[in-house]
């Protein structure tokens, strides 16, 4: 079915979303909170289908999540439906390295009132919970983290960075090269199947909450709520089912969760 704005807003828990900066911030935060980042399909050896109708069925109607090409493709449809001007960017993931690899991450640049904003609901736990203003070196507090975007002359990229105790940690860099659907399809294929990427060989979950987040990596779950946090190990199917359905709100059925649990056990 085609994108239906009212159904989408209900899925992410918003009654309305004005096409202004406040609405843009609400949109990104609400989607990360309601549609978790997860890589179940690549972890299961499958390439996610980016057809809009398939994404609608999976992310909205079936209440599952996805990784960047899935959830940010849906976000792009929402931006268009709400009247936000935007253009896609493909980013080179760095995760602390001085330079990135292939362009394997999808995000958006949204111009509003003379400024530009990096909008991204699909990078997982390292990413900001709200859009980041694209202005050189300006420190921007978002929840309990501080971010900035700097321009790098030698690569021609804007680099999103998160402030840590040891300095600025580069997450990814993006340029303004024209992005076509074929580029996104190719990057999606590489991310899902390449052994050089992390998605086929590890299981990841992330969902934002009102005061913190749930995260998961290869059986290690974490819940942060304000200043409190706890970590625990998930090894059995029943524990994984409870975490996926109750804590993350994912709509996968029991046979799918059983298959995920079996694959997860092979990592231990």
């Amino acid at each position: 079915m085609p994108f239906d704005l009212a159904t989408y807003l209900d899925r992410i828990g918003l009654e309305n979303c004005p096409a202004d900066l406040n609405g843009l911030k609400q949109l990104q935060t609400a989607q990360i909170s309601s549609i978790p980042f997860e890589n179940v399909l690549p972890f299961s050896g499958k390439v996610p289908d980016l057809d809009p109708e398939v994404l609608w069925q999976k992310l909205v109607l079936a209440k599952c999540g996805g990784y960047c090409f899935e959830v940010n493709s849906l976000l792009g449809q929402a931006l268009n439906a709400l009247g936000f001007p935007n253009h896609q960017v493909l980013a080179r993931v760095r995760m602390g390295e001085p330079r990135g690899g292939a362009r394997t991450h999808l995000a958006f640049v949204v111009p509003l009132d003379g400024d530009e904003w990096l909008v991204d609901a699909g990078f997982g736990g390292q990413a900001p919970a709200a859009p980041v203003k694209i202005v050189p070196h300006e420190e921007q507090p978002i929840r309990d983290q501080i971010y900035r975007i700097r321009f790098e002359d030698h690569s021609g990229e804007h680099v999103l960075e998160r402030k840590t105790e040891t300095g600025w940690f580069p997450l990814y860099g993006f340029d303004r090269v024209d992005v076509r659907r074929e580029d996104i399809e190719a990057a999606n294929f590489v991310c899902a199947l390449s052994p050089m990427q992390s998605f086929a060989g590890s299981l990841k979950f992330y969902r934002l909450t009102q005061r913190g987040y749930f995260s998961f990596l290869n059986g290690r779950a974490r819940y942060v709520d304000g200043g409190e946090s706890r970590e625990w190990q998930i090894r059995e199917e029943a524990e994984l089912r409870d975490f996926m359905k109750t804590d993350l709100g994912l709509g996968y059925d029991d046979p799918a969760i059983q298959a995920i649990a079996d694959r997860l056990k092979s990592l231990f």
Side-chain angles (χ1 to χ4, degrees):
M1 62 179 293
F3 185 90
D4 180 77
L5 183 57
T7 302
Y8 168 80
L9 290 177
D10 182 68
R11 170 75 171 101
I12 66 171
L14 293 181
E15 291 185 2
N16 54 65
C17 184
D20 56 23
L21 180 56
N22 185 56
L24 187 65
K25 291 179 178 180
Q26 289 181 348
L27 178 67
Q28 179 168 321
T29 301
Q31 180 165 316
I32 299 173
S33 300
S34 304
I35 304 179
F37 176 93
E38 49 98 333
N39 65 314
V40 165
L41 290 182
F43 185 69
S44 303
K46 302 174 183 177
V47 179
D49 190 336
L50 302 184
D51 179 84
E53 291 190 11
V54 174
L55 291 177
W56 181 263
Q57 175 64 41
K58 181 190 179 195
L59 303 179
V60 179
L61 301 185
K63 296 188 176 180
C64 294
Y67 73 166
C68 76
F69 296 108
E70 298 172 280
V71 295
N72 276 344
S73 291
L74 181 70
L75 179 64
Q77 294 182 63
L79 290 170
N80 292 333
L82 289 163
F84 286 103
N86 67 89
H87 60 270
Q88 299 169 321
V89 293
L90 279 174
R92 302 182 189 272
V93 176
R94 298 193 179 193
M95 291 304 289
E97 297 298 324
R99 56 177 292 177
R103 293 183 176 92
T104 55
H105 179 65
L106 176 66
F108 296 90
V109 171
V110 174
L112 277 179
D113 301 325
D115 295 317
E116 289 187 315
W117 297 83
L118 177 64
V119 179
D120 184 358
F123 198 67
Q126 298 279 355
V132 181
K133 188 177 180 181
I134 302 176
V135 56
H137 300 286
E138 180 179 301
E139 296 190 12
Q140 301 176 55
I142 299 176
R143 288 209 173 192
D144 60 345
Q145 302 291 330
I146 298 176
Y147 296 88
R148 73 176 185 184
I149 293 178
R150 63 176 175 85
F151 182 74
E152 193 174 73
D153 288 322
H154 69 271
S155 68
E157 294 180 351
H158 284 92
V159 183
L160 174 65
E161 298 182 315
R162 182 173 62 87
K163 196 171 189 178
T164 71
E165 294 180 354
T166 57
W168 288 99
F169 185 89
L171 298 173
Y172 59 77
F174 63 94
D175 53 28
R176 304 306 178 91
V177 172
D178 180 50
V179 176
R180 303 176 183 177
R181 181 171 181 81
E182 293 86 352
D183 299 320
I184 296 173
E185 291 286 357
N188 178 46
F189 187 86
V190 169
C191 279
L193 298 182
S194 172
M196 301 298 292
Q197 302 293 321
S198 62
F199 299 109
S202 61
L203 182 62
K204 306 175 184 182
F205 296 109
Y206 180 82
R207 182 177 75 81
L208 201 64
T209 65
Q210 186 173 1
R211 300 199 309 165
Y213 60 86
F214 283 100
S215 66
F216 177 99
L217 176 61
N218 291 343
R220 192 69 179 175
R222 188 180 188 200
Y223 175 54
V224 173
D225 181 33
E228 303 295 325
S229 68
R230 67 183 180 96
E231 295 187 13
W232 69 101
Q233 197 72 33
I234 293 177
R235 294 289 180 91
E236 301 302 324
E237 178 196 352
E239 297 172 313
L240 183 63
R241 182 188 302 110
D242 183 63
F243 181 75
M244 290 178 65
K245 288 181 174 290
T246 303
D247 295 327
L248 301 177
L250 292 171
Y252 287 101
D253 60 22
D254 289 348
I257 295 174
Q258 174 68 66
I260 298 166
D262 291 343
R263 171 83 170 91
L264 186 62
K265 286 181 180 179
S266 70
L267 300 180
F268 299 130

